[in-house]
Amino acid sequence: MKKVYSLVNITKAKDQEAVQSICIKQIQFNDQKHEFNKRPANTGRRSLSRSISRSSTDSYSSACSESSEDESSPRDKLQATSKGLSDFCIKNIQQTEFGRREITIAEQEMPALMILRKRAGGEKPLAGAKVMGCTHITPQTAVLMETLSRLGAQCRWAACNIFSTQNAVAAALAEGGISVFAWKGESEDDFWWCIDRCVGAESWQPNMILDDGGDLTHWIQKKYPSIFKKLKGIVEESVTGIYRLYQLSKAGRLCVPAMNVNDSVTKQKFDNLYCCKESVLDGLKRTTDVMFGGKQVVVCGYGEVGKGCCAALKAVGAVVNVTEADPICALQACMDGFRVIKLGEVVRQVDMVITCTGNKNVVGREHMDRMKNGCIVCNMGHSNTEIDLVSLRTAELRWERVRPQVDHVIWPDGRRIVLLAEGRLLNLSCSTVPSFVLSITATTQALALIELYSAPEGRYKQDVYLLPKKMDEYVASLHLPTFDAHLTELTDEQGKYLGISKHGPYKPNYYR
């Protein structure tokens, strides 16, 4: 190898041309190439060449636990945990170790559930409870499941979304003894098969339901109505599921008490607002690498989810428009500085359309036919009904998968829209969400389960109930030490003046 000049040699060169000549001719990288070639072809769980070639859509967790796997269904694959448990169906039980690390990381950002384990773990308030759940299966919900187990419950779980399951986390849960039926990238048939396997076990009958979207409740009512006779209650998290429960109640078909977690203050003001505020940009960046500055965006719906999305997009320089059916929410959007319009008025000019309504067919074929080339269309609501996907499954339109959860829908003239997660929930399908905010919702769900399970007979009728405000405030108080926050205590005189106990609750039950 030729001699490599030192920095002193180079700086002694008489002019810039000489410096360039020395640099080009004499600085060699042979040693570095040699060291590079010594590296093994597979570092960790994927090779360096694969790491370089992968798009920026991959997070570390998704690259390690999802993207390198085959896309075949594990329904017919026999698997067992180290303890011999085989009552589960997941992608790969060998991913247990990585999934456990993900759960451990989430625990550090979920202080209230950790406190709940310590305070109530000895009492086992859920002893004898058999909780069947249908939620996203992520590190955060895994912390909730394992908390319920620590409080005495047995758990059995399926996923509420075909894209949001983190396979390594599902493996860790199965290894820990929880029967899980879920994997990332399920088909529609797989989705209902998993729920049916979760529900249909003859040796395992639930007495509590924890649902997110109402699919589990719907399936039990449709195929296994006798289960309702043994249920003590249902806890529902999403606006979609709550709509369904209120419809059942109105029709006189709700057979058990149900707790509406979606409309609790802790869910509305924190999960819906702050979680979406921080995760919507993450999901869009990972899937499209889009630059937000100056982009024309329409956010459909200005509830708490819409408010969070609008605030995040505005902060990075996007020009945000809002569609809204509710005049109160529309007025809020106006006073927050957003233009309230009908989608049809601006659909030709916008670069991005995000739905946040919980409704159906908010973005129809008549809108998508008029969108500009490259317009991004996605959903931040729970269900995939907000974008009319059925109208896009026609012979004249061509679908092209360009990245995981990213499809180009191409019109005959070559114009295309960019559809994310097939219209399903963007943040949990395409990125991750903040553990701390989900700690608030998960603790609320845990307390709602405890309340319904331990309530004396007759306290709750066959109706839908809101979580008592005292519990909302308790959940909030459990998270304050993280910020070293110190509450001001009311005096007796101040409490009397306001007509409340100085220890709370500080808001009436109808407050949202």
Side-chain angles (χ1 to χ4, degrees), residues 123-140:
E123 301 171 9
K124 304 291 184 187
L126 290 176
K130 291 188 172 183
V131 182
M132 187 170 287
C134 184
T135 67
H136 303 283
I137 296 181
T138 64
Q140 296 80 21

Side-chain angles (χ1 to χ4, degrees), residues 77-204:
K77 184 166 63 174
L78 295 177
Q79 300 183 76
T81 67
S82 61
K83 297 179 181 178
L85 173 70
S86 60
D87 185 23
F88 63 89
C89 187
I90 60 173
K91 197 69 172 180
N92 186 356
I93 192 63
Q94 301 302 321
Q95 294 180 327
T96 295
E97 182 182 347
F98 181 77
R100 178 52 53 191
R101 292 201 298 268
E102 290 277 7
I103 295 171
T104 301
I105 291 171
E107 286 176 345
Q108 297 172 13
E109 277 284 292
M110 305 185 79
L113 287 178
M114 298 299 103
I115 294 172
L116 203 59
R117 290 181 185 183
K118 292 179 180 179
R119 291 185 181 179
E123 301 171 9
K124 304 291 184 187
L126 290 176
K130 291 188 172 183
V131 182
M132 187 170 287
C134 184
T135 67
H136 303 283
I137 296 181
T138 64
Q140 296 80 21
T141 53
V143 177
L144 169 61
M145 291 180 224
E146 293 185 343
T147 299
L148 298 179
S149 297
R150 296 277 189 93
L151 301 182
Q154 298 178 46
C155 295
R156 191 175 178 88
W157 233 261
C160 70
N161 185 298
I162 64 174
F163 292 132
S164 64
T165 297
Q166 294 188 26
N167 289 334
V169 172
L173 288 169
E175 180 64 33
I178 296 176
S179 295
V180 177
F181 302 88
W183 59 91
K184 188 178 183 70
E186 297 169 359
S187 65
E188 283 290 330
D189 181 63
D190 291 334
F191 175 79
W192 292 111
W193 180 87
C194 286
I195 290 178
D196 192 70
R197 279 291 305 273
C198 189
V199 177
E202 295 181 2
S203 61
W204 208 98

Side-chain angles (χ1 to χ4, degrees), residues 450-466:
I450 293 170
E451 173 66 15
L452 281 179
Y453 182 71
S454 60
E457 189 173 350
R459 176 182 291 179
Y460 295 106
K461 312 296 183 186
Q462 295 174 351
D463 206 349
V464 184
Y465 294 87
L466 287 172

Side-chain angles (χ1 to χ4, degrees), residues 201-221:
E202 295 181 2
S203 61
W204 208 98
Q205 294 294 308
N207 52 27
M208 297 293 299
I209 295 294
L210 178 57
D211 213 350
D212 186 354
D215 291 317
L216 178 58
T217 304
H218 165 76
W219 195 254
I220 291 174
Q221 186 183 38

Side-chain angles (χ1 to χ4, degrees), residues 71-363:
E71 297 182 0
S72 62
S73 170
R75 283 166 56 165
D76 299 323
K77 184 166 63 174
L78 295 177
Q79 300 183 76
T81 67
S82 61
K83 297 179 181 178
L85 173 70
S86 60
D87 185 23
F88 63 89
C89 187
I90 60 173
K91 197 69 172 180
N92 186 356
I93 192 63
Q94 301 302 321
Q95 294 180 327
T96 295
E97 182 182 347
F98 181 77
R100 178 52 53 191
R101 292 201 298 268
E102 290 277 7
I103 295 171
T104 301
I105 291 171
E107 286 176 345
Q108 297 172 13
E109 277 284 292
M110 305 185 79
L113 287 178
M114 298 299 103
I115 294 172
L116 203 59
R117 290 181 185 183
K118 292 179 180 179
R119 291 185 181 179
E123 301 171 9
K124 304 291 184 187
L126 290 176
K130 291 188 172 183
V131 182
M132 187 170 287
C134 184
T135 67
H136 303 283
I137 296 181
T138 64
Q140 296 80 21
T141 53
V143 177
L144 169 61
M145 291 180 224
E146 293 185 343
T147 299
L148 298 179
S149 297
R150 296 277 189 93
L151 301 182
Q154 298 178 46
C155 295
R156 191 175 178 88
W157 233 261
C160 70
N161 185 298
I162 64 174
F163 292 132
S164 64
T165 297
Q166 294 188 26
N167 289 334
V169 172
L173 288 169
E175 180 64 33
I178 296 176
S179 295
V180 177
F181 302 88
W183 59 91
K184 188 178 183 70
E186 297 169 359
S187 65
E188 283 290 330
D189 181 63
D190 291 334
F191 175 79
W192 292 111
W193 180 87
C194 286
I195 290 178
D196 192 70
R197 279 291 305 273
C198 189
V199 177
E202 295 181 2
S203 61
W204 208 98
Q205 294 294 308
N207 52 27
M208 297 293 299
I209 295 294
L210 178 57
D211 213 350
D212 186 354
D215 291 317
L216 178 58
T217 304
H218 165 76
W219 195 254
I220 291 174
Q221 186 183 38
K222 179 181 177 180
K223 292 199 65 178
Y224 305 93
S226 60
I227 288 179
F228 280 112
K229 297 177 183 179
K230 300 179 181 179
L231 286 183
K232 300 196 70 173
I234 300 169
V235 174
E236 172 58 55
E237 178 188 358
S238 79
V239 64
T240 306
I242 290 302
Y243 284 158
R244 292 176 177 177
L245 288 175
Y246 278 123
Q247 288 169 353
L248 289 174
S249 178
K250 187 176 180 179
R253 296 167 56 202
L254 184 61
C255 305
V256 295
M259 195 69 78
N260 175 359
V261 168
N262 180 73
D263 290 321
S264 66
V265 178
T266 45
K267 174 68 162 60
Q268 287 285 326
K269 287 188 176 293
F270 298 97
D271 190 336
N272 289 13
L273 177 62
Y274 296 108
C275 179
C276 296
K277 183 179 179 180
E278 295 208 9
S279 60
V280 63
L281 301 182
D282 188 20
L284 287 165
K285 280 287 190 186
R286 292 198 199 198
T287 49
T288 65
D289 301 314
V290 65
M291 176 76 179
F292 295 106
K295 289 292 193 299
Q296 294 281 342
V297 182
V298 173
V299 175
C300 300
Y302 202 67
E304 298 302 323
V305 173
K307 287 180 176 70
C309 292
C310 287
L313 290 160
K314 182 179 180 180
V316 291
V319 180
V320 182
N321 303 278
V322 171
T323 70
E324 183 53 72
D326 184 336
I328 296 174
C329 293
L331 183 57
Q332 285 182 302
C334 290
M335 297 186 71
D336 285 338
F338 301 109
R339 184 184 173 207
V340 177
I341 46 84
K342 293 182 178 179
L343 180 57
E345 296 172 356
V346 297
V347 71
R348 292 185 184 276
Q349 291 81 42
V350 296
D351 302 291
M352 199 178 305
V353 178
I354 304 171
T355 56
C356 313
T357 68
N359 209 333
K360 65 180 294 187
N361 295 342
V362 177
V363 179

